[in-house]
Amino acid sequence: IVDRVALLLRELFADAAALADAAATQVPDPTIGAVADELAVYLAYLDLLAPAEAAGLPTCLPDVSSESKGLSVHDAWDLPLGLDLVADRHPVVTNDLELHDPERVLVVSGPNQGGKTTTARTFGQLHHLAALGLPVPGRDAHLMLADQVLTVFEREETAADLDGRLGAELARVHHVLDVLTPASVVVLNEVFASTAVEDARFLGTRVLERLIAADVPTLLVTFIDELSRLGPATVSMVSVVDPDDPTVRTLKVVRRVADGRAYADALAARYGLGHDQLVERLSR
């Protein structure tokens, strides 16, 4: 039909063909090009989430604010870990994360392999994904609109670190303190664990005091649970164990006053004196 119409309206269709040929040599509108590229990313992300949503894991478009620095997310979960567990048909443990004025720092302590690092990863992912305008892994999410998520996670010492592991961590923490802005989010995972308890307590206190003064949402994973009692800006969260068997991790991390056992358990494990290690040794 179009071919027949073109024969009847030769001049009009010739003009349209000339316009199409000219447009092919021009640079496309940058906004249209950007939207086309970004749509591919957003659609791919939705495809990535589909198996998790089919398995019943919650996701939502978060409410973000450039004014409020509060945090409220129910049933949050670690995105890559959750996708792996769903693929292997394993259950995924979710946790609630909340910061209400004047709270700014979540201090997470508890036994090893209890979900502390997973919680730290989730905290960072929530803010990063929300800033990108993507659905987040969780339910009823309210988050600050962050300009950057600054992280310091534990790394193995290498020969290239001439100042040693502690020196490298200090340099990385110093960089975070230098570049953060009032709209930044900070995640510190077991920093200063390579030094003595008193030194870790001293350094951790000084760093948290700087972050509290900067008024930025922060999550700190540490064995020094005294850091959760620096003032009204700090909140204690603890990875809990099965009350009937303290060796069984539930992977739930809840708002609770730290009981002071986290560092003692970690110290015992470091020297081969942990519960599981002693049981295994005695069984041999």
Side-chain angles (χ1 to χ4, degrees), residues 157-175:
E157 187 174 358
T158 66
D161 294 330
L162 300 181
D163 293 329
R165 179 174 163 187
L166 177 59
E169 284 184 340
L170 285 170
R172 292 164 61 206
V173 171
H174 189 274
H175 173 73

Side-chain angles (χ1 to χ4, degrees), residues 203-215:
L203 293 170
T205 299
R206 295 296 176 267
V207 170
L208 279 194
E209 287 174 346
R210 288 279 301 274
L211 292 171
I212 292 170
D215 196 37

Side-chain angles (χ1 to χ4, degrees), residues 34-47:
V35 169
D37 291 340
E38 291 173 1
L39 275 176
V41 174
Y42 283 94
L43 292 173
Y45 180 76
L46 293 178
D47 289 341

Side-chain angles (χ1 to χ4, degrees), residues 8-232:
L8 293 173
L9 304 173
R10 294 178 183 273
E11 185 177 350
L12 178 61
F13 275 77
D15 289 344
L19 180 62
D21 291 339
T25 63
Q26 296 176 359
V27 177
D29 183 277
T31 301
I32 295 177
V35 169
D37 291 340
E38 291 173 1
L39 275 176
V41 174
Y42 283 94
L43 292 173
Y45 180 76
L46 293 178
D47 289 341
L48 182 72
L49 287 182
E53 293 174 337
L57 285 176
T59 64
C60 70
L61 277 174
D63 291 331
V64 295
S65 173
S66 59
E67 299 177 357
S68 172
K69 296 192 176 184
L71 163 69
S72 177
V73 185
H74 300 294
D75 295 324
W77 48 281
D78 181 303
L79 181 61
L81 176 60
L83 293 175
D84 286 344
L85 291 173
V86 166
D88 294 335
R89 300 182 181 277
H90 293 311
V92 178
V93 176
T94 63
N95 287 295
D96 298 340
L97 298 174
E98 295 185 3
L99 282 172
H100 306 290
D101 287 332
E103 300 167 351
R104 288 292 180 267
V105 183
L106 293 175
V107 180
V108 184
S109 60
N112 288 331
Q113 306 301 318
K116 301 189 303 296
T117 298
T118 299
T119 302
R121 286 159 43 105
T122 303
F123 181 84
Q125 289 168 28
L126 289 169
H127 287 92
H128 183 68
L129 294 171
L132 294 175
L134 295 169
V136 300
R139 193 190 321 275
D140 300 326
H142 302 268
L143 297 150
M144 183 187 79
L145 182 59
D147 61 357
Q148 57 184 339
V149 179
L150 302 168
T151 67
V152 180
F153 277 72
E154 187 179 19
R155 294 180 182 174
E156 292 185 2
E157 187 174 358
T158 66
D161 294 330
L162 300 181
D163 293 329
R165 179 174 163 187
L166 177 59
E169 284 184 340
L170 285 170
R172 292 164 61 206
V173 171
H174 189 274
H175 173 73
V176 166
L177 296 175
D178 276 348
V179 302
L180 66 80
T181 73
S184 298
V185 169
V186 178
V187 185
L188 304 175
N189 185 66
E190 295 187 355
V191 292
F192 312 137
S194 61
T195 189
V197 181
E198 288 303 321
D199 293 337
R201 182 181 292 110
F202 173 81
L203 293 170
T205 299
R206 295 296 176 267
V207 170
L208 279 194
E209 287 174 346
R210 288 279 301 274
L211 292 171
I212 292 170
D215 196 37
V216 293
T218 301
L219 187 144
L220 169 69
V221 174
T222 180
F223 290 121
I224 312 299
D225 52 53
E226 295 98 318
L227 297 179
S228 66
R229 298 187 286 273
L230 289 183

